[in-house]
Amino acid sequence: MTAIFIAALLIALGTLAFFRTPLWLVTLTVAAGLAVAVSVGSHWSVFALYGLVTAPLAFLSLTPLRRHLLSKPLFSWFRTVLPAMSETEKEALESGTVWWDAELFSGRPNWKSLFDLPAPTLTDEERAFMDGPVEVLCHMLDDWQINRELKDLPPDVWAFIKKERFLSMIIPKEYGGLGFTSQGNAAVVTKISTRSLTAAVSVMVPNSLGPGELLMHFGTQAQKDHYLPRLAVGDEIPCFALTSPMAGSDAASMPDEGVVCKEMIDGKEVLGLRVSWDKRYITLAPIATVLGLAFKTRDPDKLLGDQEHLGITCALIPTQTPGVKMGNRHLPGGSIFMNGTTYGDQVFIPMDWVIGGQERVGQGWRMLMHCLAAGRAISLPAQGVAGGKMASLLTGAYARIRYQFKQPIGHFEGIEEPLARIGTEAYRMESAHKLTMSALDRGDKPVVLSAILKAYLTEANRRVINDAMDVHGGKAVVEGPSNYLSMGYQGLPVSITVEGANILTRSMIVFGQGAIRCHPYLLKEMQSAAENDLKAFDQAIWGHVGFVLSNACRSLVLGITGGRGTASPKNDVTKGYYQSINRLSAAFSLTADICLMILGGKFKFKEKLSGRFADALAYLFLASMTLRRFSDDGSPEEDIDVMQSAVQDSLQRVEAALFEVYRNFPIPVLGHVIRIMCFPWGRRYHAVTDQVGHRIARQLLTDSATRARLTGDVYLPKEADGVGVVLQAFDAVLKAEPAEYAIRNALKAVPNPLNVHALVRRAVEAGVISEDQGSELILAQELSAQVIAVDEFSPDDLVHPISNKTDEALAKAS
C-alpha cells in the first residue's frame, strides 16, 4: 500500500507537470491524496511524504504570503544582477512580434497556431505581374553584359524598371505604387534573382529597408504626399546610408552626427540639424536622388528639451543639397549593382527633413528595427530560394546531359549525394520563406524568424551553389557568357554579409534576442524589474519555475518515448516528425532555461553557446515549415522523399546542436545529467538512407513532378543563352532516351557528339530506330556538345572587353 501511494504521488505530480496544470489544482490533487491516505490508515511515511509535498504547494498557492516572504527578497536580488542594457538593445527587443518561434520556445508547440496561417498564394494582380512585366524584364537581362561589360544595368532596362514600377512594390496604390503583398514582393525578387542578382538587388533595395518603407510607417503626411508618388514612378531613386567605416555591425557606435541648431535661411530663422557623415557600402548611392541617412543626434544648446544625447535619427536629404557628396562606386563581387559611398560635412537640414518630423528626432533606431523585423525576411532569403531553384534546375539537367564513363554523371553515387542535398535544401528554403511571407501578410513582424530566414537561407544558398559548382566542374570554373553559375557563386558573400552578417546574426541575434522575446516569462521578469512591479514579477517568476519543472518532466518522458503519444496535426507519414519536434522543443526549452539561469547576464558573451542554441531553434523552425509545406501541397507521394530528407536533416542538426551545448555546458556535470534526461537513448536522428537520396537525385535528373515543384516560377529563357541551351539539351536528351538505349542494346555503343551521325546511320539501316528518332538523337547530342563547351576569348577580346553587342545596345538606348 505504501508503494502504491508513493507511486501514485509521483505519477500524479509528473502527469500534472507534463500537462502544465495550474498550481492550485496541483495542490488540491496532492491534498486529496493525503486525505485518502489518512482515511485508509496508511503508514506514517506516506503521511509524511504527502505532507512534505502539500505544505510547500499550499504555501506557494497563497499568493500574498508568497509574494511577501519569497518574491520580495528575490525581486531585490534580481534587480541588482540584471545586466545593463543599451538603448539600441532595448529598442531591438521591443521591435516586432513573435509567432512560431514562441511556440517552439514553449516546449509544447501548439500546431493549430501553425495551421491557422493562410496558405501561401499570390493575388491575381501579382500573378499577372509575374507572368508579364517580370517575364519581360528577365528576357531583357544579360548577366555577362551587365557585370563584365557595362558594370550596370543597360539604360533600357532601367527605363523599363521605372516604367513598370518595379521600385514601388511596397508603396500603396493610392500613392501610385503597386501595393503588393510580402508574398508578391518576394516572388518578384525570387524570379528576377533566377536571371540576374544585379537586377534583383537593384529592384529589391527600394522595396526593402529604406526611405519608402520608413516613410510609409513613420513619415509625416506631407512627406508621404511629396515623396511616395515620386518614388513610385522612379522620378526619385532612393538609397539609405547606415554603415560607416568605423561602424559596421555595431551601428550604435557610428561617428556620424547631427547637431541641433538654428540657421538663417532667406531671412528666416530655421530650426534644424547640422550633419556630418561618412558612409560606405550604400546600394544605389551612385544614382540616388534622395538620401536616407542615419546619424547620432546631439542637442548641446537644449533647443529640443533637457537632454543632450538624443539617439539615432533618420532623415531624407535630396542629393543635390549643397555639401552632400555622392562618392565613388564600390564593385561588389559577382553582382555589380550600384553601390558606393556618400559623405557630407556640416550639411544643414531643416527639421521637416527628419523622417516623421521633429517629434521623431532620436527615434531612428526604433524605426529601423521596426522595419527590419519584417523586411529582413523578404529579399535576401528570396535570393537564397532562387539559388536553390536554379541549382536544382540546372545541376539536375547538367548531370543528365553530361556523360563520363559511358553514362550520365548523375547516375554515379558520388554525384547523387550533392544532387540530393541540393533538392533537399531547395525544398526546405522555399517552405520556410513562403510561409513566413504569409505571416507577414497577416500582419506579423516576426523579428527572430526574420533573422533566421536571412542567416540560414543565405547559408543554405551557399551550400547548394557550392554543390552545383562541384557537379559542373570545369563548366562552372571558366568564365564567360555561357557560364550560368560563376556570377552567383562570386556574389554569395553579399547576401551573407549585409543586413546583419551571418556570424553576428547566428551568434548574437537569433537566440540572444529570441531567448528574451520568445520565452513566455523572461521578458516579463525583465520588464517588471525595470518598472519596479513586484506583483508582475511574482507572477512571472513562479510561472517560470513551473515552466521549467514542466519541461523537465516533458523532456524526460518524451525522451523515453521519442515523443510518441503527443499531439500531431496529421495522422500520415509525417506524424512521427511532428512528435519529434514536440520532443526536441521540450529538450531545447529546458536546456536553454537552465543554461540561462546559470550564466545570467554573462550569457550575452557566450556567443558559441548562443550560436548552438540558434542552430537548434532555426532547424526546429525549418522542420516545422517543411511539414506545413508538404501538407499545403496536398501531401504528394512523389515528394515524400525530399520532405523526409529536409525534415530528418533538420532534426539531426537540432540534436547535434544540443549535444554540443551539453558538451560545453557551464557546469559540465549538469550538462551530462540534462543530456541523459533529454536523450536517455543517445543520438536518435540521422540523415535519410542512400536509397532515399538516390530517388531524390533521380527526380532532378528527369522531368518529374517534384522537379517541377522545386523549380516553379523560375525564369525559363527561350533564347539560346547558357541557361537556355542547358534546358533545351535536357529536354532533347530525355526525348531521345529511347533511341539512345535502343542503340546501346543493339549496337553495343554509346552515342556521343563525335559518333552520333555514324551510329544513327547504322541504327536506322538496321531498323533499330526510326529516322525521326535518329534526328532527335542527333539534336540531343549537338545540344549536349554546346552545353559541355566553355567560353573562349582571343587576346583582343581581353584587351577590349566591350563587345559589339554592347556597343549596339548602348547606341540604341541612347
Side-chain angles (χ1 to χ4, degrees):
M1 183 65 72
T2 299
I4 291 174
F5 271 100
I6 293 173
L9 177 63
L10 294 176
I11 292 171
L13 289 175
T15 302
L16 294 170
F18 187 93
F19 291 104
R20 295 184 180 166
T21 307
L23 178 60
W24 64 267
L25 185 53
V26 176
T27 305
L28 285 178
T29 302
V30 178
L34 177 60
V36 172
V38 171
S39 67
V40 299
S42 297
H43 192 267
W44 67 268
S45 60
V46 174
F47 301 150
L49 178 61
Y50 273 74
L52 285 173
V53 174
T54 304
L57 288 176
F59 170 75
L60 292 174
S61 298
L62 299 173
T63 304
L65 188 62
R66 178 191 71 202
R67 187 184 304 150
H68 180 72
L69 295 179
L70 286 182
S71 299
K72 189 174 181 179
L74 189 60
F75 185 53
S76 299
W77 170 81
F78 184 79
R79 294 186 69 196
T80 62
V81 300
L82 189 66
M85 190 178 298
S86 68
E87 284 301 315
T88 54
E89 286 177 312
K90 289 180 182 178
E91 290 170 355
L93 286 174
E94 292 169 358
S95 65
T97 60
V98 296
W99 170 51
W100 190 245
D101 42 350
E103 293 294 337
L104 294 172
F105 252 98
S106 74
R108 190 184 180 188
N110 177 9
W111 292 103
K112 184 177 183 298
S113 171
L114 179 61
F115 279 83
D116 281 346
L117 185 70
T121 185
L122 297 178
T123 67
D124 291 342
E125 187 176 1
E126 290 163 351
R127 173 50 62 191
F129 192 79
M130 286 280 287
D131 296 339
V134 178
E135 186 77 9
V136 173
L137 174 62
C138 289
H139 177 73
M140 298 171 71
L141 299 172
D142 179 338
D143 222 25
W144 178 260
Q145 178 197 48
I146 291 167
N147 289 292
R148 291 294 182 264
E149 297 172 355
L150 295 179
K151 306 291 193 295
D152 187 13
L153 299 178
D156 59 330
V157 170
W158 274 117
F160 183 79
I161 286 172
K162 293 177 183 180
K163 174 178 174 291
E164 297 296 335
R165 296 176 292 170
F166 277 87
L167 305 182
S168 65
M169 289 188 287
I170 65 170
I171 295 177
K173 292 180 180 179
E174 56 263 36
Y175 292 104
L178 294 175
F180 281 179
T181 63
S182 298
Q183 199 77 247
N185 181 359
V188 171
V189 173
T190 300
K191 185 167 183 174
I192 299 174
S193 297
T194 65
R195 186 60 169 169
S196 168
L197 287 180
T198 301
V201 171
S202 302
V203 166
M204 82 187 198
V205 167
N207 291 291
S208 185
L209 178 64
E213 188 170 14
L214 288 168
L215 282 170
M216 285 159 45
H217 291 292
F218 303 105
T220 65
Q221 193 58 50
Q223 289 171 340
K224 293 178 183 178
D225 291 340
H226 174 75
Y227 277 113
L228 291 180
R230 297 172 61 80
L231 290 169
V233 297
D235 289 344
E236 298 277 13
I237 301 296
C239 69
F240 190 82
L242 175 63
T243 306
S244 302
M246 296 297 109
S249 298
D250 183 13
S253 68
M254 68 175 71
D256 315 295
E257 184 178 73
V259 178
V260 180
C261 62
K262 293 181 179 180
E263 185 93 356
M264 295 299 297
I265 298 178
D266 296 331
K268 295 182 180 180
E269 189 177 61
V270 177
L271 181 65
L273 300 112
R274 192 162 290 281
V275 188
S276 298
W277 70 91
D278 180 8
K279 303 286 192 179
R280 67 179 178 185
Y281 305 145
I282 312 306
T283 299
L284 298 185
I287 60 172
T289 62
V290 58
L291 167 67
L293 186 68
F295 53 89
K296 285 184 174 178
T297 312
R298 282 197 309 116
D299 186 10
D301 299 328
K302 309 295 176 60
L303 298 176
L304 299 181
D306 297 333
Q307 292 184 320
E308 177 180 351
H309 298 280
L310 304 180
I312 293 173
T313 296
C314 295
L316 287 181
I317 307 172
T319 56
Q320 297 304 312
T321 302
V324 174
K325 303 294 183 184
M326 307 307 284
N328 294 324
R329 284 185 65 181
H330 301 306
L331 295 180
S335 182
I336 313 298
F337 52 87
M338 283 291 173
N339 186 276
T341 63
T342 175
Y343 52 95
D345 185 25
Q346 298 293 303
V347 177
F348 180 80
I349 65 171
M351 278 295 172
D352 57 7
W353 287 10
V354 172
I355 297 177
Q358 182 176 321
E359 67 182 61
R360 293 287 186 181
V361 169
Q363 296 184 24
W365 192 250
R366 182 180 294 110
M367 294 156 60
L368 291 171
M369 290 299 100
H370 175 87
C371 295
L372 200 60
R376 185 158 46 186
I378 301 174
S379 301
L380 293 174
Q383 291 189 353
V385 172
K389 286 176 174 289
M390 291 306 285
S392 299
L393 182 79
L394 297 172
T395 312
Y398 184 82
R400 178 61 186 85
I401 295 164
R402 178 67 161 146
Y403 275 62
Q404 290 288 273
F405 306 104
K406 300 182 179 181
Q407 63 178 313
I409 62 171
H411 290 179
F412 290 98
E413 288 191 352
I415 299 297
E416 284 183 350
E417 283 187 299
L419 283 176
R421 288 196 298 264
I422 288 170
T424 296
E425 296 277 19
Y427 188 84
R428 181 165 58 192
M429 281 194 284
E430 187 174 31
S431 303
H433 192 231
K434 282 190 171 182
L435 279 163
T436 307
M437 295 306 98
S438 292
L440 297 185
D441 290 330
R442 186 177 61 180
D444 295 10
K445 290 187 176 295
V447 58
V448 176
L449 297 183
S450 294
I452 288 174
L453 281 190
K454 188 274 167 182
Y456 287 82
L457 266 61
T458 54
E459 287 293 343
N461 187 30
R462 171 151 56 184
R463 292 193 294 268
V464 299
I465 298 302
N466 280 340
D467 276 335
M469 293 285 290
D470 288 348
V471 173
H472 280 78
K475 174 68 176 178
V477 172
V478 176
E479 285 206 338
S482 66
N483 188 333
Y484 41 78
L485 284 176
S486 66
M487 297 292 185
Y489 176 77
Q490 294 172 54
L492 280 170
V494 174
S495 60
I496 299 292
T497 303
V498 300
E499 289 189 12
N502 284 2
I503 291 177
L504 168 79
T505 302
R506 174 183 175 268
S507 63
M508 297 178 68
I509 295 177
V510 171
F511 186 76
Q513 203 167 349
I516 298 174
R517 286 306 311 274
C518 303
H519 194 285
Y521 297 105
L522 274 179
L523 185 57
K524 294 176 183 178
E525 292 164 358
M526 296 172 67
Q527 289 173 336
S528 65
E531 297 167 5
N532 197 23
D533 188 341
L534 175 60
K535 183 177 180 180
F537 177 80
D538 174 78
Q539 293 175 337
I541 194 67
W542 294 108
H544 194 164
V545 170
F547 178 74
V548 173
L549 293 174
S550 174
N551 275 329
C553 180
R554 291 181 63 82
S555 295
L556 177 60
V557 173
L558 299 184
I560 294 171
T561 66
R564 293 177 184 86
T566 56
S568 169
K570 298 292 177 180
N571 193 28
D572 56 14
V573 67
T574 61
K575 180 179 179 179
Y577 293 136
Y578 287 104
Q579 293 174 332
S580 290
I581 292 173
N582 292 339
R583 176 260 179 104
L584 290 171
S585 171
F588 164 77
S589 184
L590 175 69
T591 307
D593 246 325
I594 295 176
C595 195
L596 289 168
M597 286 178 189
I598 295 170
L599 292 171
K602 295 179 182 178
F603 185 84
K604 68 190 297 185
F605 304 109
K606 298 295 184 180
E607 295 159 26
K608 294 176 184 177
L609 282 176
S610 180
R612 291 164 187 143
F613 279 121
D615 291 342
L617 177 61
Y619 283 102
L620 281 170
F621 169 70
L622 293 172
S624 304
M625 298 302 103
T626 301
L627 292 171
R628 170 65 200 269
R629 184 250 179 97
F630 182 71
S631 175
D632 286 342
D633 287 347
S635 304
E637 185 175 353
E638 57 269 28
D639 287 0
I640 289 177
D641 287 329
V642 71
M643 177 275 294
Q644 289 181 329
S645 181
V647 175
Q648 288 183 212
D649 179 73
S650 299
L651 299 182
Q652 178 183 235
R653 289 173 184 263
V654 174
E655 186 179 63
L658 291 177
F659 268 69
E660 283 302 302
V661 170
Y662 301 138
R663 203 161 68 92
N664 295 277
F665 213 68
I667 302 176
V669 173
L670 184 56
H672 185 65
V673 170
I674 299 171
R675 178 186 63 78
I676 293 174
M677 177 185 294
C678 296
F679 297 92
W681 313 120
R683 298 282 293 269
R684 305 299 296 170
Y685 298 104
H686 308 281
V688 292
T689 64
D690 291 346
Q691 288 81 4
V692 174
H694 165 79
R695 292 195 295 268
I696 295 171
R698 288 303 172 100
Q699 287 174 322
L700 295 184
L701 295 171
T702 59
D703 188 20
S704 67
T706 297
R707 174 184 164 91
R709 276 187 286 272
L710 287 175
T711 61
D713 277 334
V714 303
Y715 175 66
L716 302 174
K718 309 300 187 294
E719 55 270 29
D721 60 5
V723 174
V725 170
V726 171
L727 298 181
Q728 292 173 24
F730 180 66
D731 291 340
V733 166
L734 293 182
K735 189 175 182 180
E737 195 171 61
E740 176 194 341
Y741 282 108
I743 289 177
R744 292 173 71 124
N745 291 331
L747 304 183
K748 308 303 179 187
V750 180
N752 62 54
L754 301 178
N755 66 12
V756 66
H757 288 278
L759 284 179
V760 164
R761 192 179 311 112
R762 288 174 54 199
V764 170
E765 290 172 355
V768 174
I769 61 174
S770 67
E771 290 188 3
D772 288 342
Q773 286 180 306
S775 298
E776 291 171 356
L777 186 56
I778 289 171
L779 175 62
Q781 292 301 319
E782 289 175 346
L783 289 170
S784 297
Q786 292 182 47
V787 170
I788 295 167
V790 296
D791 296 287
E792 301 175 7
F793 300 90
S794 70
D796 188 59
D797 290 333
L798 301 178
V799 174
H800 305 288
I802 301 296
S803 66
N804 291 332
K805 177 182 176 182
T806 305
D807 291 334
E808 293 169 5
L810 287 171
K812 181 179 179 181
S814 61

